[in-house]
Amino acid sequence: MTMKVGVIGLGNMGGGMAATLAGKGFDVSGFDLSDAALAQAEKNGVKPVNNRNLLISHSDLLILSLPKAEHVEAVCLGKEGIIEWGRAGLIVVDTTTSTPEASRKVAAVLAEVGVAFIDAPVSGGPKGAASGTMSMVIGAEEADLARALPVLEAMSGTRVHVGKWGAGNVAKIANNMLAACHLISTAEAMSMAAKAGVDPEKLLQGLNAGSGRSGATQVMFPTWVLNKAYDSGFTMGLMRKDVGLASDLAANLGLDLPLSQVVAQLWQASSQSLPDNEDFCAIVQRTDARLYGRGE
Ligand code: NAD
């Protein structure tokens, strides 16, 4: 029997994941609070469901792609949530960038009613979601992961099982802490080189052939910054959330991480000039408005 997959949260990422799975022959239904997201999903072969309880009770595997941990907790453990409507044997794959604490709490409570929980936050952006090439860092019990694997393999290119519940989100927070640093440090290096007379495109080629390369030099600058497109599909608001998650995690662990602290301050302070709905790559504009600005 085909596995019935439900997706809760059909935004930039969840919409692409649902479409990818539908395109690969899975029986996919979806729910979102936004009618526009539901309508778009329907165009991509996903069955839109207006009643969340119905979606939960009819799914064998549920994918969550929600903004924050608090949304995950509400959908899983809140009134009329998965805790009430999920059948024993259901697997919940949470792809939200959330907190390790929320993952552990939700997983433990759902386990009591026979529902499995996997934290599987993702990288690769809306393009990766829509093409099934995202990478996942996974926190899960081995047996649960084995059951979910056919769906995870269909929606991602790379999967790294990093540990038990919550470990996926620890790894994702570490990843985004680095991405937040690299965007700013690359902007500074490029601004310096440009002032010294080196063409940014040429500099990028040099960096990518050298040890200064990163996701910022290999993907972000060539795809969204130097062409001034700023259309990655990942917002400033979501990246500020992730930078905040890294600060909280370091503080909870009693760690003194001075570089990350400065980077976090730069991201939070930028909210004055760069609103939450702006593209996350626009953070580079605070380093050099002339070089990276849209020129408006
Ligand atoms: P988004 O804002 O585009 O999508 C979120 C969707 O969730 C929206 O359609 C919203 O209507 C819906 N939603 C909110 N609360 C809901 C609820 N209670 N029930 C049902 N639907 C609800 O965000 P996104 O860019 O798709 O990001 C989703 C998650 O993935 C975030 O945690 C983000 O940090 C992470 N992420 C995003 C990217 C990216 O490039 N956009 C990359 C990796 C990870």
Side-chain angles (χ1 to χ4, degrees), residues 127-186:
K127 264 195 194 144
S131 56
T133 56
M134 304 180 299
S135 59
M136 289 182 153
V137 277
I138 299 173
E141 296 293 329
E142 289 282 359
D144 297 335
L145 181 55
R147 283 200 297 139
L149 210 52
V151 175
L152 302 191
E153 282 176 345
M155 63 195 277
S156 61
T158 312
R159 294 152 301 282
V160 182
H161 185 192
V162 285
K164 292 186 182 292
W165 300 331
N169 272 312
V170 171
K172 176 62 180 169
I173 289 169
N175 181 79
N176 280 24
M177 178 170 132
L178 284 173
C181 284
H182 290 160
L183 254 176
I184 294 179
S185 56
T186 305

Side-chain angles (χ1 to χ4, degrees), residues 73 98-107 166 169 173 248-249 252:
E73 287 201 38
S98 168
T99 66
E101 295 80 15
S103 298
R104 289 185 206 114
K105 174 180 162 188
V106 168
N169 272 312
I173 289 169
D248 292 348
L249 184 58
N252 291 342

Side-chain angles (χ1 to χ4, degrees), residues 1-4 25-27 60:
M1 209 177 63
T2 337
M3 199 180 232
K4 284 189 169 24
F26 285 86
D27 178 353
D60 301 310

Side-chain angles (χ1 to χ4, degrees), residues 8-15 17 31-34 37 52 65-68 71 74-75 95-98 121-126 172 176 232-235 238-239 241-242 280:
I8 300 183
L10 298 163
N12 284 328
M13 296 301 288
M17 295 178 210
F31 172 81
D32 196 291
L33 299 176
S34 145
R52 197 184 70 182
S65 176
L66 297 165
K68 296 181 180 180
H71 303 103
V75 167
T95 67
T96 309
T97 306
S98 168
V122 293
S123 268
K172 176 62 180 169
N176 280 24
S232 72
F234 185 47
T235 61
L238 287 175
M239 189 51 142
K241 169 206 54 163
D242 296 348
F280 84 114

